[in-house]
Amino acid sequence: MLDYDLDKHLNEQRSLVALRPQIEEIAALIHEGPYKNLYFVGAGGTYAAALPFERLFQTRSSFPARAVIGKEFILAPDPDFGADSVAVFGSESGTTPDILECIDFAKSKGALTIGVTGRAENPFAKAVDRVLLTEPGAWPIDVPYLTLSANLLHRRGEFDSYERLSTDLDALPEALTAVARAADPIGQAFAEKHTETDYHFLTGTGYLWGFTYLYSMCILEEMQWLKTTRVHGAEFFHGSLELLEKDTSVLLFLGEDETRPLMDRVENFVTSYSDDVTVIDTAGYDLPGVSRENRALLAPMIASAVMDRFSHHLAKVRDHSLDLRRYYRVVSY
């Protein structure tokens, strides 16, 4: 597979799963302590990737939990954010200025700060109260945030399938490799078809809305300098649909949670008005060793494994490295 290091992938994913004992200890601390709310604080992709976990709490728990954009949160924090709050951060590099500023802000309010990163020596790891260290380069959000959220809800009696989920996560590194293999030729075909396409329309709902937002902004826009529209499937029929034309490239992200009928409706409409519709359906990918019970929660990870193949093939056919930037961390702002 293009630009795919199997050993690196497995090491990174296994390092995320191996954090479970530490995460369960933190969940016990939150559950047994004075804490009354939780905030997933992010910037860009780390905010978008936290949205599924906000949703998990909102649909299953009475415990207040929010995903917030850190820089805005500093200027307009919740009145309830303080010494009995938990602030969770993730950073692959551990050097993102916005996130470091948010950690300082959270600590100034007395909140318990928890961070996931891959480098013990970075400023991020040194700033948080509790640091969870992954293999360098591992995406620090999905598995650790899901483990923390599910275990805390389990302790509260609001999530009954935690033990099954733990077994599923153990199988996930190898399962996602199988997903990547299956998706690679699809990603290659998409890239070859869209070498000259400069605009894409993306839609998703439920646990996949955060990934839809992330892929549009962080990959197609930031890493490929392509124009996009991203809209939640429930909002699709309230304005953005007017941008559709027969040759509009549309990417639809279909998950496996209760919001899927919203995307079925979008797909039925879009395929009538565009001849260039790509459906990424997580239900179409096998996850060896993973139960059906928790697939909805794992949909962002499935979609990420699929779209990683799209990204690398796009970068190749467009001769545009995924590491190339014009402004981000290049100029002052």
Side-chain angles (χ1 to χ4, degrees), residues 190-202 212-230 249 251 307 310-322 324-327:
F190 177 90
E192 291 172 352
K193 178 180 179 180
H194 294 92
T195 304
E196 302 298 328
T197 304
D198 64 356
Y199 170 69
H200 300 274
F201 191 117
L202 294 83
T212 305
Y213 177 20
L214 183 155
Y215 195 78
S216 170
M217 175 178 60
C218 296
I219 310 301
L220 294 181
E221 292 181 349
E222 179 183 320
M223 297 184 182
Q224 287 294 290
W225 304 352
L226 294 168
K227 300 177 179 66
T228 73
T229 292
R230 52 188 172 267
S249 170
L251 289 93
M307 297 310 294
F310 281 57
S311 303
H312 284 282
H313 284 291
L314 274 173
K316 179 183 178 181
V317 301
R318 300 185 70 247
D319 192 25
H320 186 117
S321 168
L322 295 169
L324 182 63
R325 304 290 187 275
R326 275 186 295 212
Y327 307 116

Side-chain angles (χ1 to χ4, degrees), residues 228-245:
T228 73
T229 292
R230 52 188 172 267
V231 62
H232 192 286
E235 291 289 282
F236 176 86
F237 295 99
H238 297 276
S240 296
L241 78 168
E242 293 295 337
L243 295 175
L244 288 180
E245 299 181 15

Side-chain angles (χ1 to χ4, degrees), residues 7-85:
D7 289 338
K8 181 176 184 294
H9 161 80
L10 290 174
N11 287 338
E12 290 174 354
Q13 291 297 314
R14 288 167 180 164
S15 76
L16 299 172
V17 174
L19 292 173
R20 187 183 305 135
Q22 298 174 64
I23 293 173
E24 290 177 346
E25 179 184 337
I26 291 171
L29 174 66
I30 297 170
H31 180 61
E32 297 164 7
Y35 304 104
K36 68 178 186 180
N37 51 42
L38 184 148
Y39 295 81
F40 298 104
V41 187
T46 58
Y47 162 70
L51 290 173
F53 310 105
E54 174 188 69
R55 183 180 186 277
L56 177 59
F57 276 92
Q58 289 177 343
T59 57
R60 298 199 183 206
S61 179
S62 59
F63 189 78
R66 282 189 60 198
V68 298
I69 301 171
K71 289 288 282 187
E72 180 182 49
F73 193 64
I74 291 173
L75 298 175
D78 284 0
D80 287 337
F81 185 69
D84 48 9
S85 300

